[in-house]
Amino acid sequence: MQRAYRTLRAALAATAAALLAACGTTPLPPDEPARPAPAPSSPVAVATAPSVPAPASWPPGTLERPNARWIPVGWAELPGWDTDRAGDAWRAFLRGCERPAAGWSRLCAEALLAPPPPDDLGARQWFMARLQPYRIEALDRPDPDGLITGYFEPLVEASRLPRGNFRIPLHRAPADLGQRKPWWTRQQIDTLPAAQAALKGREIAYVADPLDALVLQIQGSGRMRITEPDGRVQLLRVAFAGHNDQPYKSVGRWLIEQGELTPDTASWPAIREWARRNPRRVNEMLWSNPRTVFFREEPLPDPSAGPRGAQGVPLTPERSIAVDPRSVPYGTPVWLDTTEPLSNTPLRRLVLAQDTGTAIVGAVRADYFWGPGEVAEQQAGRMKQRLRMWALAPK
């Protein structure tokens, strides 16, 4: 979901991390927005600069990427490798193989044509027979520790037609979006007849809460449980289709600057509560962010699949991560060693590097895709943990 209007975020990494929600909260709107998903027809770069051999002072087989050093290690160094449900990662791996990165075409063709591994042990053995693990470190220091955060796919209630409280429209891109740069601001869209005329007939659906619309725009995509005019209810996805070329401003940061919230208390629940207590100032808060996002409607034939990530393939909940592609190319299997949010319980598993974001910068840096819905939102908001990473690459 190239989660920065980028899909749906270049903020200072420290600021972005500081604005992540703390214990028991859901995520604060970031200083940079989320990673919007590329259109299916759009070409997606799946490889950056190639790895090159490191200087002779490093262990033989060490590789250097533009923003990371890969140190070859044995499988025994990967904590928890023998206990992961590796079969669950196989589906994410096959999805990544639909757009293989450089050097992966042969193995991906083999995986796509072969019968799936019979169990977790079979999946582990397949990977071990063909891949070499590398510990990922920063170029400027031999430190394997980094940071993992989380993200999610919103799920909101919506109506195809305006009714009752459902009055906040989600729009398709206007016909003149590419001709007028920048396009109207968020405030102008809400108040100017000319801007409203340009969007007339472009409504996809209506939501009841303007903050539901905002979180969809920040994340770059999301799911809607939509009521059709005939009363049918269906689940579908709206995906990023463009924005108005206006600068993104965080409403959370605006509330902090207004003295309404503090960095320690700013979170989505706190912002929603502030909006409930200050209904006359909601537009003032929303208009502080001049950027608005336009969507396209997509069917949801497989509810288990997430939105498309920067690699151009659907994300898999709890098996896809966003990375800095200068450190880890898209499509790379990655072993994570971290903990569950707000816990010392180990979270060690095989995931696939299939997305990115402008706040995801550095060698040992990942954003963990929790999937859709309220539980995923809560887990994502709580996740800000120490991390170690190993990349797996063809032998």
Side-chain angles (χ1 to χ4, degrees), residues 81 84-86 88-93 104 127 131 148 311 316-323 328-338 347-354 365-369 383 387-392:
W81 171 256
D84 181 40
R85 298 182 61 179
D88 291 350
W90 186 257
R91 180 176 56 181
F93 175 65
W104 281 90
F127 288 123
L131 306 179
I148 187 168
Q311 189 187 0
T316 301
E318 301 186 47
R319 291 289 176 172
S320 295
I321 60 170
V323 296
V328 181
Y330 300 142
T332 300
V334 175
W335 183 255
L336 299 181
D337 176 24
T338 183
L347 194 163
R348 294 165 173 164
R349 63 182 50 179
L350 185 62
V351 297
L352 276 294
Q354 296 175 328
R365 179 71 173 94
D367 211 13
Y368 186 80
F369 180 62
M383 192 171 207
L387 170 69
R388 292 191 297 164
M389 295 169 58
W390 289 260
L392 310 184

Side-chain angles (χ1 to χ4, degrees), residues 267-312:
S267 65
W268 270 115
I271 291 170
R272 289 185 185 274
E273 175 60 21
W274 181 91
R276 188 191 65 78
R277 290 186 286 100
N278 297 273
R280 295 179 181 273
R281 297 191 65 192
V282 169
N283 277 340
E284 182 185 358
M285 176 186 69
L286 294 173
W287 293 344
S288 71
N289 174 25
R291 176 168 292 186
T292 195
V293 167
F294 306 109
F295 298 99
R296 66 177 184 276
E297 181 178 331
E298 294 183 348
L300 197 62
D302 180 4
S304 70
R308 291 181 182 271
Q311 189 187 0

Side-chain angles (χ1 to χ4, degrees), residues 188-200:
Q188 289 169 333
I189 289 170
D190 287 346
T191 59
L192 291 185
Q196 293 169 350
L199 289 172
K200 187 175 179 59

Side-chain angles (χ1 to χ4, degrees), residues 226-250:
I226 188 168
T227 301
E228 300 289 358
D230 62 2
R232 289 181 301 113
V233 177
Q234 64 172 330
L235 192 64
L236 56 80
R237 174 176 285 126
V238 286
F240 179 85
H243 61 67
N244 58 349
D245 283 306
Q246 297 287 347
Y248 173 85
K249 303 292 184 181
S250 166

Side-chain angles (χ1 to χ4, degrees), residues 242-264:
H243 61 67
N244 58 349
D245 283 306
Q246 297 287 347
Y248 173 85
K249 303 292 184 181
S250 166
V251 297
R253 174 56 60 189
W254 181 83
L255 286 168
I256 292 170
E257 291 172 350
Q258 294 288 311
E260 299 292 330
L261 297 176
T262 67
D264 290 340

